[in-house]
Structures are given as C-alpha cells and as structure tokens.
Amino acid sequence: MSTDARAEAGVLVPRFGSRGKAWVGLLAVLVLVGLGAWIYQLQQGLAVTGMDNVFSWGLYIMLFVFFIGLSAGGLIISSAPKFFHSKRYDSLAALGVLLSLGCIVVAGLLILPDLGRPSRITGFLTSPDFRSPMVWDFAIVVLYGLFSAGYLWLLTRRDLAKMGSRLAFGVEDTPEGRERDRKRAFWAAAVAIPLAIALHSVTGWIFATQIGRGDWFNPLVAPMFIMKALVSGLALLLVTAILADRLTRFRLPEALVPELGKVLGVFVAVHVVYLVAAERLPHAWAAHFDFWSITSAFLVGDTVHFWLWTVVGGAIPIALLAVPSLRRNVGAVFAASVAAIVGILFEGVYLVFTGYTDLNIDAAPGVTTGTDYTGFGADIWATAGSYTPTVVELAVTVGIVALGALLVTLGLRFLPLQPGGGAPVGAGGDRTAPDADPAVADGGRETDADAGADRRE
C-alpha cells in the first residue's frame, strides 16, 4: 500500500524517515542493553541491585506504580468520551488506548526483575493466596493488559480492514460494521473505566494494607492513586498528542488544548492541594499538638522528593494552567504536563522512601540488611533504610521503558489511530481538509521527491 493510502486510512507514520529509523534503532539498542543487564542480574542475583533486606522495594516497584498510574489514567481519559457518547475527543481515543497498552506492558515487565527469579511468577498461578492484594494486582494487570489490546483493536479494526492489513483478522469494512463497533465501543468504555479504577486502587491497597508501615497504612492511599493516575494519564496524553502533532500526520485540534489543560489543572489541584492536605494533616496533628508545630510539619517537606512532587508537579502546573492566556499557549500546556508527570514520578519515589527509611526497630543493632562483609552470613545491621539504584537496575529499567516506547512507535507506524488521513478535527467533531504538506515520520515535511516516489509505487 502506498504512503498516501496508509495515511488516508489513518496511519500517523506511513513510513519511517531517517530520524524515525534512528529513533527505532536507538530504542532497539536500549532494549538489548536492558536485556543484557537483566541476564547479568539473573546470574548474580538481586545482590547486584541496591535493594536489601531493609529496603526490599526499589526502582522497579517505584516505576511499576508510576506506569500503572499512567496506563489507568490514560484509559479513563480515553474511554470517558466514548461512554458519554461525545465525539469531541474522538481524535485522541485510539492514541490514548495505545499509550495505555504500552504503559501496562512496561509495568507488567517491571515485576519480573523485582522477583529475582522469573519462575516465582508461577506461584500466582499454581498456589495463589486470594487474601493477598499482590495476587489481586497480578490478576488485574494481566486482565487489564489483554483488555487494552482488545479495546485498541476494536477501535482500529475497521480502518485496518480498509487498508487491507492482516491485523484486521478477517473483519470487513462496512457502514453497518462501523455502526456496530460504535455501540461496542460504548460497552467497552463502560468496562474500561471501572477496570482502570480497580487496577490502580488495588495497587494502592498493596501499600494501604501494610499495617507495620504507618506512612502507608492509610485509607486515602487508593483515592490518591486514582487522582495521580488521572493527572499523569492526561498529562502523558497531552505531551504525546502535542509531539505527534509536530512530528507525524496526527492533528491535535487547537481548541482541545486549553480545554484539556483546564481539566489537568483541576486534577492537579485536587490531588496536590486537597488530598495531600487530607492525608498529611492528621499525621501532623498526631505528631505535634502545638499549632506552629502542626503547621510546619504539614507544610514543610523533609525530603527533596516531597518538594519535587509538590512544587514541580503541583505548584508549577497549577500556576501555568490557572491563567487563561497561558492555557491557550500550547508550549505552556506542554510544560505543565511534563512538570505534572515529573511530580507524579517523584511522588512514587517519596511514597516508597517514607515506608522504608524509618524502621519499626530503631534501637541498635536494628535490622539485618541481608548483606555481609565476610561472605559467611549477614553481619551488616541498620537502624534506618537507605537505597540507591545501581547501574544494573538503571539499565534494566531503561530497557523495559524503551520496549514500551518501541511498542507505541510501532503502533504509530502500523495502526490507523486517526481515521481521515490526519485531517484536523474541529471542536464540534467536523472534519476539515487535510494539510497540503502533512508531516512525515521523521519529523520533516513531505518533499516533492517523496511524493513522486509514492506516485511510482
């Protein structure tokens, strides 16, 4: 199929240009580096990571929580318009589901290196303890991943059939079929929204049910996880859509940018201002009864992670998105979205550190770390947890994230994510004529030579 025909079917990247090929090559190299680092970790054991008996959750779990939130939030944001029969955001639906699928793949794969031996995952299948939130989370991650793949196929299969792709799996492109799929998309959205909420709620309950860790044992953990999923999911969708509008044939309606920016600002405000206050104030009150002590303990964070979360991920996005003139600026919305994502990332870091830094046994000799100097048993003790990720952990993590990015890139290349050939969609859902010189995959514009080559196919 020619480049023009693929573009008309809705493929955002009809062909890879030089920069597109370089991007795919870079991702492939990072995946191989990550795979090599994981093989090394399998050979040497978890001793090559920064985790120990005191700090048993590290970078893998921090980013597992982060990508679960990105995936859940993206699916909720993409499905809500389908559920409420709104065509206003149709241009973002398939892209949002693709991002959700890529993020859940990354999150699921991050579990494997954290287990140490991948064979341990069979325990979830052969002898599951249904009283454990870990078992609930494993089940819903698998179910959610399969559902996301099926949902994406439902949204794109008629256009896949239109372009003659084998990925249509025999489905034909007919007006009746498209109408049936429109109704099925409503029911799929009706399943997607509660499934995504359950996904991140269960992840939150893993922390909230840890009675021995006071900073986690909190009924507000799950609601906070849902809000940070909405923040990070919408922010990632905005960042990706803005970049895709610049680098591919995707067209982001300009009217949607300030609208979604306003929604993002509300989400950030509810999450960072209200829910943080609701969570931290009782802790501050319990620890200090003097008014100034309560106020200072509530307002002043005790780690850099806290400030990266609340200032970079909270105050800056709110400041950018609260001003109507700034909200109409695509660059300001993009910057606010990036800051919100960074803030949510460091909120997860802060969450894990607060649970492991302070030990329940703080008197000497404390708790054994499980490491040793002599090689004849654990002889290192600690009264406070500490953690720094190693190069091996960083390499494995970068490789897994690169695999997710590669999955999204291939989705842009082969899936019709914006039917109509990337034509701009008006705020009311009406399509206008496509640009005369739509962007190609490598970020440039189609040249006369490229157009001639397409006509010769």
Side-chain angles (χ1 to χ4, degrees), residues 405-423:
L406 183 60
L407 176 63
V408 172
T409 302
L410 294 178
L412 297 175
R413 172 66 179 83
F414 294 105
L415 296 179
L417 299 179
Q418 194 175 54

Side-chain angles (χ1 to χ4, degrees), residues 201-227:
S201 294
V202 170
T203 306
W205 290 332
I206 292 176
F207 291 86
T209 53
Q210 302 299 312
I211 301 175
R213 302 187 186 276
D215 290 314
W216 294 352
F217 188 55
N218 191 318
L220 286 179
V221 172
M224 289 188 70
F225 270 44
I226 296 302
M227 277 312 304

Side-chain angles (χ1 to χ4, degrees), residues 7 10-14 88-93 95 238 240-257 260 412 417-427 430-441 443-446:
V11 176
L12 303 184
V13 183
R88 191 176 185 83
Y89 303 99
D90 268 358
S91 58
L92 296 171
L95 178 62
L238 277 168
T240 306
I242 291 171
L243 289 176
D245 183 78
R246 298 294 188 271
L247 303 175
T248 74
R249 293 177 183 265
F250 181 81
R251 288 297 174 259
L252 175 63
E254 291 186 6
L256 298 186
V257 175
L260 293 175
L412 297 175
L417 299 179
Q418 194 175 54
V425 183
D430 298 329
R431 293 197 176 274
T432 60
D435 293 345
D437 56 347
V440 293
R445 293 287 178 178
E446 189 175 35

Side-chain angles (χ1 to χ4, degrees), residues 7-70:
E8 180 60 31
V11 176
L12 303 184
V13 183
R15 61 180 178 80
F16 282 131
S18 57
R19 281 183 286 179
K21 293 176 182 177
W23 169 248
V24 172
L26 173 63
L27 293 177
V29 170
L30 292 176
V31 170
L32 291 177
V33 170
L35 180 61
W38 185 36
I39 292 173
Y40 176 76
Q41 179 184 304
L42 290 174
Q43 294 173 339
Q44 303 298 320
L46 289 174
V48 298
T49 71
M51 297 180 285
D52 55 32
N53 188 52
V54 175
F55 218 110
S56 55
W57 282 354
L59 183 63
Y60 300 140
I61 296 301
M62 293 175 189
L63 291 185
F64 166 76
V65 173
F66 176 64
F67 278 96
I68 285 287
L70 288 174

Side-chain angles (χ1 to χ4, degrees), residues 227 231 261-271 318 321:
M227 277 312 304
V231 171
K262 183 187 296 184
V263 175
L264 178 61
V266 172
F267 285 167
V268 173
V270 172
H271 175 56
I318 291 174
L321 299 173

